[in-house]
Amino acid sequence: MEEKPKPPISGIIYGEAAYWIVLAGMVIAIAGSVIYLSGTGYVGKQCILNEMWEGSDVSTIWEECAGKEVPHGHWYINRLSYGDGIAMAGIALGCLAAVVGMWGAFVGMIREKGGIYVAFSLIVAIILTLSAAGIIQLKH
C-alpha cells in the first residue's frame, strides 16, 4: 500500500490560520452588513446606493454620503458602533489572515529547517506586516 506524502507543517499552519481567521472575518462582515442594512450607518445607505448606481467615484461617494474626505488607514476602528464599521472590521480581519498565516509558516519552516525558504517566508511576512500596518503602500 502506497503511503501518502505528508504536507509540510508550515503549509498546515498557514492554511489553518488563514482558514479560521478568514471565516471569523466573514462572519463579522456579514453581521456588520446586516446591522448596516437594517439600521443606520456611518455612511448613508440610500445615498451610497444612489451614488454607486450613478457610477460616482470614491471621493464623491465619501463627500456626498459621509460628508468627509476619503479616509485613509483604519478609519473603521473609531466607528465600530455602526454596522458599516463592523463590516469593514470583518473585512480587515480577513485580510489580516495572510499576515498571521505567513508568520506561522515562517515559524513552521524554522522547525522544518526549510533552508532558503525560511528567509523567503521571513521577507514575505515582513512585507505583509508593514503593508497591513500602512507603513508601505503602493499608492496613497
Side-chain angles (χ1 to χ4, degrees), residues 51 55-72:
E51 293 294 330
S56 299
D57 64 359
V58 174
S59 298
T60 304
I61 292 173
W62 274 98
E63 288 170 11
E64 294 294 322
C65 301
K68 308 243 184 224
E69 290 182 11
V70 177
H72 296 286

Side-chain angles (χ1 to χ4, degrees), residues 11-97:
I12 293 171
I13 293 170
Y14 182 90
E16 288 292 319
Y19 174 79
W20 288 108
I21 294 170
V22 167
L23 192 64
M26 183 180 67
V27 168
I28 293 168
I30 290 170
S33 297
V34 168
I35 293 167
Y36 175 66
L37 292 172
S38 64
T40 58
Y42 179 62
V43 180
K45 64 183 167 201
Q46 188 63 43
C47 176
I48 197 169
L49 290 174
N50 289 339
E51 293 294 330
M52 285 180 7
W53 281 115
E54 291 176 11
S56 299
D57 64 359
V58 174
S59 298
T60 304
I61 292 173
W62 274 98
E63 288 170 11
E64 294 294 322
C65 301
K68 308 243 184 224
E69 290 182 11
V70 177
H72 296 286
H74 303 284
W75 63 269
Y76 55 89
I77 291 175
N78 295 326
R79 306 286 186 263
L80 292 177
S81 59
Y82 297 102
D84 45 359
I86 295 169
M88 188 61 219
I91 293 168
L93 179 62
C95 294
L96 190 63

